[in-house]
Amino acid sequence: ERSLPEPGSQDSRAGDDIEIVVNVGGVRQVLYGDLLSQYPETRLAELMGCLAGGYDTIFSLCDDYDPGKREFYFDRDPDAFKCVIEVYYFGEVHMKKGICPICFKNEMDFWKVDLKFLDDCCKSHLSEKREELEEIARRVQLILDDLGVDSAEGRWRRCQKCVWKFLEKPESSCPARVVAVLSFLLILISSVVMCMGTIPELQVLDADGNRVEHPTLENVETACIGWFTLEYLLRLFSSPNKLHFALSFMNIVDVLAILPFYVSLTLTHLGARMMELTNVQQAVQALRIMRIARIFKLARHSSGLQTLTYALKRSFKELGLLLMYLAVGIFVFSALGYTMEQSHPETLFKSIPQSFWWAIITMTTVGY
């Protein structure tokens, strides 16, 4: 039977001269007390005083211990360990390429090294990977919810889940796919109708002699809005989380796509009683322009657009940095252009703000 060194021996003293030998996944490493004592709350630092506590204390910290070699064994990832011990030498931890960020976080938790010592770039990588896994977990949970059938649920709840799956999961059934394709076509039709309604040759004169959209186009517009409204209300009715549904970006787009129609309708029939007809017409025209928001509804039915939106969202900081450099360049070169050209009698650089246009088109296009 193996015996432990006496509590008063060199192995059990908690001092700066203690030498700790660890074997992590077959990789042997010698560490010294003065190095480990910088971070006494870490697992490696706790090894310095564990011998006096007996085998129970030792095996609560490591997987095995050889008293003959005075060596602690750990069945952990040696590559991650090489990164973790950098905190004792450099005061920070840098995650090497090829190591899973989530697994590396688990390694840091095992060695009791706080995440605050992780380098900023590695923290960003870890945060991105964590968000990806949370998104995957959310999607998996949705799939499990779709597959699971709770017999204890009432008829009303089961009806809600069926409607939600029918509208949100086009791949769930053939009718759901048909409805998704129909919705996609109606979005295209309403967008084309909105553009055709501005062609003078397709407009008609109203009783006051003003050009308005052709009645046929208005009827098509009304039919499309009716479909969008029904679709939104059904999805709102069947949503498991009404607040999250209402604040979702795509659902806000849906509201912006249908709201101008009803506001314009209200102003046309009731607004004339409260304000002048000219003001009502101007308000209606301004609201009708907001119909362009419905083109963004295509993203709901296009995985490619959703991927592009996700990529832009994840690159928000980088795009912001690019725009900041662009803004600095525009400001500097606009000021230089104004300074060089202001003395010319026919100059178009009459002020720095007027020079912004020249700088913008020069930096973002070929300059024409």
Side-chain angles (χ1 to χ4, degrees), residues 85-299:
I85 62 173
E86 289 182 357
V87 69
Y88 299 102
Y89 296 95
F90 309 111
E92 65 177 9
V93 178
H94 184 79
M95 181 172 53
K96 299 294 190 297
K97 290 184 178 180
I99 299 178
C100 173
I102 303 301
C103 294
F104 188 77
K105 176 185 177 300
N106 295 334
E107 289 293 319
M108 291 189 65
D109 291 340
F110 174 80
W111 296 110
K112 300 182 181 181
V113 177
D114 198 282
L115 286 177
K116 67 182 181 181
F117 297 109
L118 192 61
D119 188 72
D120 290 339
C121 66
C122 299
K123 285 181 181 177
S124 176
H125 190 197
L126 176 62
S127 177
E128 292 177 0
K129 185 61 66 174
R130 183 181 298 167
E131 291 177 1
E132 291 179 6
L133 292 178
E134 289 175 354
E135 178 66 18
I136 293 174
R138 187 185 67 82
R139 292 181 179 273
V140 170
Q141 185 61 44
L142 290 176
I143 295 174
L144 294 177
D145 292 342
D146 291 339
L147 296 176
V149 178
D150 191 353
S151 58
E153 288 183 342
R155 181 180 300 178
W156 177 261
R157 180 57 181 167
R158 290 199 299 269
C159 178
Q160 281 186 308
K161 292 183 68 173
C162 289
V163 173
W164 178 259
K165 184 178 180 180
F166 183 79
L167 295 175
E168 289 290 325
K169 309 289 183 183
E171 68 280 359
S172 62
S173 64
C174 184
R177 187 179 299 275
V178 171
V179 169
V181 173
L182 178 61
S183 181
F184 181 83
L185 292 177
L186 288 177
I187 294 172
L188 292 179
I189 291 173
S190 64
S191 301
V192 172
V193 167
M194 181 189 69
C195 297
M196 293 178 63
T198 60
I199 301 176
E201 290 77 7
L202 298 180
Q203 295 176 340
V204 296
L205 299 178
D206 60 6
D208 298 325
N210 298 319
R211 288 188 173 275
V212 295
E213 288 186 2
H214 196 281
T216 303
L217 297 180
E218 287 189 347
N219 293 335
V220 175
E221 172 83 4
T222 303
C224 292
I225 290 295
W227 171 269
F228 297 151
T229 304
L230 177 63
E231 183 185 38
Y232 180 83
L233 292 177
L234 286 175
R235 292 175 58 246
L236 178 61
F237 149 78
S238 61
S239 172
N241 189 332
K242 302 296 190 294
L243 180 61
H244 181 269
F245 176 88
L247 298 179
S248 175
F249 173 75
M250 290 307 305
N251 296 321
I252 293 175
V253 170
D254 291 342
V255 172
L256 293 178
I258 63 179
L259 189 61
F261 175 83
Y262 294 105
V263 176
S264 301
L265 195 64
T266 303
L267 289 177
T268 302
H269 290 84
L270 302 178
R273 303 176 183 177
M274 298 178 291
M275 63 182 73
E276 296 180 1
L277 183 60
T278 303
N279 295 334
V280 172
Q281 292 175 344
Q282 291 177 350
V284 169
Q285 290 298 325
L287 287 169
R288 293 177 77 85
I289 294 299
M290 291 180 60
R291 294 181 300 174
I292 60 176
R294 70 188 56 172
I295 197 67
F296 294 106
K297 287 171 62 67
L298 292 175

